[in-house]
Amino acid sequence: MSMILPILLNDTPEVPQPWRVALRAARLAVASGCVFVSLNGEGVSWAIGVWVCYVLCAIAAFFWRGISRPANSLFALFLDIVFFLIWMYSYGPGILMLALTCAFYAYLILFSALVHSWRETLITAASVALFLILTQRAGSLPLYTAVFVTGFVACLLMAQKRLLVARLGAAARTSLLSRTEAEKAREGERQRIAADFHDGPLQSFISFQMRLEIVRKMLLRDAAAGMSELEQLQSLCRTQVAELRAFVRAMRPPDDDSAGLVTATSRLLELFQKDTGIVATLHRGKSISQDEPEPSAGVLQLVREALNNAQKHSKASRVAVSMERMDGVIEISIEDDGTGFPFAGSYTLDELEALRLGPVSIKRRVRGLGGEMTLDSRPGFGAGMQIRIPL
């Protein structure tokens, strides 16, 4: 994220330190080249002192850490432009002068493009081009060509760079939002697992501990009664094992990620029936095939939680699950013949949330999946849920 956060604040990302060092070394090399060429008699003789000053500035910039600050870096670009214009003014004939001038200009454009924004790059290219037009130096056709072509290409590259930086910034913001949503989802799952463990296995262990104390006291007073209580405790232990096995299965993802939703739900019902002894059936509508759509962890978890509610709270002996697909929506209906909820009637998801009725974890998951739910409670005669989740 260290390279992404500056993009969110500016259209010029932070340049890595090795690149900055390379640019400072390039400035020092260009300045040294200007001194060397001037000492060999090419160009204007009075400019030797200027290039010595430029070398001293380049040496100071190479070792000064504060040059990386935006204000100092902008001032360094201004000095580079000034020195380059002086070099252009003292330009003389010769291949060596032409090569050094092109190298100087290439460094100048590269420095403005990497360290600064497209505005500074455009100003740099425009300043050099305007200087060439105003001075109208003779015999500089290769230089004219190099400056104008390089400046035009640099402006195009900076426009593309700005577009890429904007896209990267949007991707960074999307990634940040995704991380936040993922963290919220993980926290929600932790809370749900903690609540399920508290209401299920933990309560069973507390009951088991209390019954053990009762058995200990009964064995001291009446061995026969104690043995009878011990048999009941064994039955309770088997029930706890079944609940723990169901709890662990509920935490696991589907065994086969490539299986369709119907196939994954069918396997889930088979395991539920095997663990609890409650008859569980699945009805597949004609509009939904055996292998599609692919299963969603959220949808399967909805079915798991509904089955767990039927086991723990409704004392149901039979659960029926049906699935239909229509208009881009998967409809899941879950019916049981248990005791139902304490309230009676049919309620939508909004009504359940407003009245604070119904299973909290299922309501939260349906809302998170962007779905709708209708809960029909018939105290003493079972309950039914109709859930609609967009595909």
Side-chain angles (χ1 to χ4, degrees):
M1 293 291 291
S2 60
M3 287 293 293
I4 294 178
L5 290 179
I7 296 172
L8 301 178
L9 302 176
N10 199 348
D11 60 352
T12 303
E14 187 68 21
V15 178
Q17 184 62 24
W19 291 20
R20 290 184 177 273
V21 174
L23 288 173
R24 296 172 195 171
R27 178 192 288 118
L28 183 58
V30 167
S32 302
C34 292
V35 173
F36 176 78
V37 171
S38 297
L39 289 176
N40 283 316
E42 297 190 33
V44 182
S45 59
W46 58 262
I48 296 177
V50 176
W51 306 128
V52 172
C53 292
Y54 189 36
V55 169
L56 295 177
C57 292
I59 294 174
F62 187 85
F63 294 101
W64 183 34
R65 295 183 178 180
I67 193 67
S68 299
R69 298 174 182 173
N72 297 334
S73 182
L74 189 62
F75 181 68
L77 176 63
F78 173 75
L79 289 181
D80 286 336
I81 294 176
V82 171
F83 279 115
F84 180 72
L85 294 181
I86 295 175
W87 174 260
M88 293 271 291
Y89 182 78
S90 63
Y91 177 85
I95 298 299
L96 187 58
M97 287 287 293
L98 176 61
L100 185 58
T101 303
C102 293
F104 200 158
Y105 184 67
Y107 153 75
L108 190 62
I109 286 294
L110 190 62
F111 176 63
S112 60
L114 289 178
V115 180
H116 300 281
S117 69
W118 64 273
R119 299 178 185 87
E120 285 77 10
T121 304
L122 182 61
I123 292 174
T124 301
S127 300
V128 175
L130 182 62
F131 181 83
L132 277 176
I133 294 174
L134 293 178
T135 56
Q136 295 182 354
R137 302 187 62 81
S140 301
L141 182 59
L143 181 62
Y144 276 58
T145 304
V147 167
F148 281 99
V149 172
T150 305
F152 179 74
V153 172
C155 291
L156 290 180
L157 291 178
M158 285 303 298
Q160 182 67 17
K161 173 186 173 183
R162 187 184 184 192
L163 179 61
L164 293 177
V165 167
R167 290 180 179 177
L168 184 58
R173 287 188 289 270
T174 303
S175 176
L176 189 61
L177 291 176
S178 299
R179 289 187 179 184
T180 303
E181 291 298 326
E183 185 60 32
K184 289 181 180 179
R186 284 193 294 267
E187 184 61 29
E189 282 299 301
R190 292 191 189 102
Q191 295 178 359
R192 187 191 65 79
I193 292 172
D196 287 349
F197 191 82
H198 179 273
D199 295 339
L202 184 59
Q203 296 298 323
S204 298
F205 276 113
I206 293 174
S207 175
F208 191 78
Q209 182 183 15
M210 295 174 61
R211 296 286 291 275
L212 277 176
E213 181 64 20
I214 294 174
V215 168
R216 186 186 67 82
K217 293 180 179 180
M218 292 183 68
L219 286 173
L220 293 176
R221 298 177 183 177
D222 188 349
M227 291 301 295
S228 176
E229 185 69 21
L230 186 60
E231 291 177 356
Q232 296 180 13
L233 194 59
Q234 288 179 330
S235 177
L236 176 61
C237 184
R238 285 191 293 270
T239 302
Q240 288 179 343
V241 170
E243 287 186 2
L244 279 175
R245 185 179 289 112
F247 183 82
V248 171
R249 290 186 190 279
M251 296 301 103
R252 292 176 179 172
D255 295 333
D256 185 5
D257 293 338
S258 62
L261 179 58
V262 175
T263 302
T265 304
S266 178
R267 293 175 183 174
L268 179 63
L269 293 178
E270 290 177 3
L271 293 175
F272 174 78
Q273 182 171 321
K274 180 180 178 181
D275 292 338
T276 64
I278 300 175
V279 178
T281 59
L282 174 64
H283 173 71
R284 174 172 59 91
K286 296 180 180 180
S287 59
I288 184 170
S289 65
Q290 184 71 19
D291 298 323
E292 62 178 5
E294 293 183 356
S296 164
V299 175
L300 287 178
Q301 192 60 33
L302 275 175
V303 179
R304 282 195 184 103
E305 293 180 12
L307 294 176
N308 290 336
N309 282 339
Q311 174 198 0
K312 293 189 296 184
H313 304 298
S314 70
K315 300 179 182 179
S317 61
R318 184 181 299 273
V319 178
V321 179
S322 62
M323 292 185 173
E324 287 282 355
R325 180 182 181 182
M326 56 182 62
D327 299 330
V329 174
I330 183 74
E331 294 189 358
I332 304 173
S333 177
I334 305 170
E335 301 278 345
D336 67 71
D337 61 352
T339 59
F341 290 90
F343 54 90
S346 181
Y347 300 88
T348 64
L349 179 57
D350 293 335
E351 293 171 340
L352 290 171
E353 290 180 339
L355 298 174
R356 296 184 178 180
L357 300 176
V360 177
S361 61
I362 293 181
K363 292 188 298 182
R364 185 187 302 119
R365 192 172 294 278
V366 171
R367 183 68 73 185
L369 293 173
E372 301 175 354
M373 183 180 79
T374 301
L375 177 61
D376 185 16
S377 176
R378 303 175 295 275
F381 298 95
M385 282 188 292
Q386 289 77 42
I387 302 173
R388 292 168 292 280
I389 303 296
L391 295 176

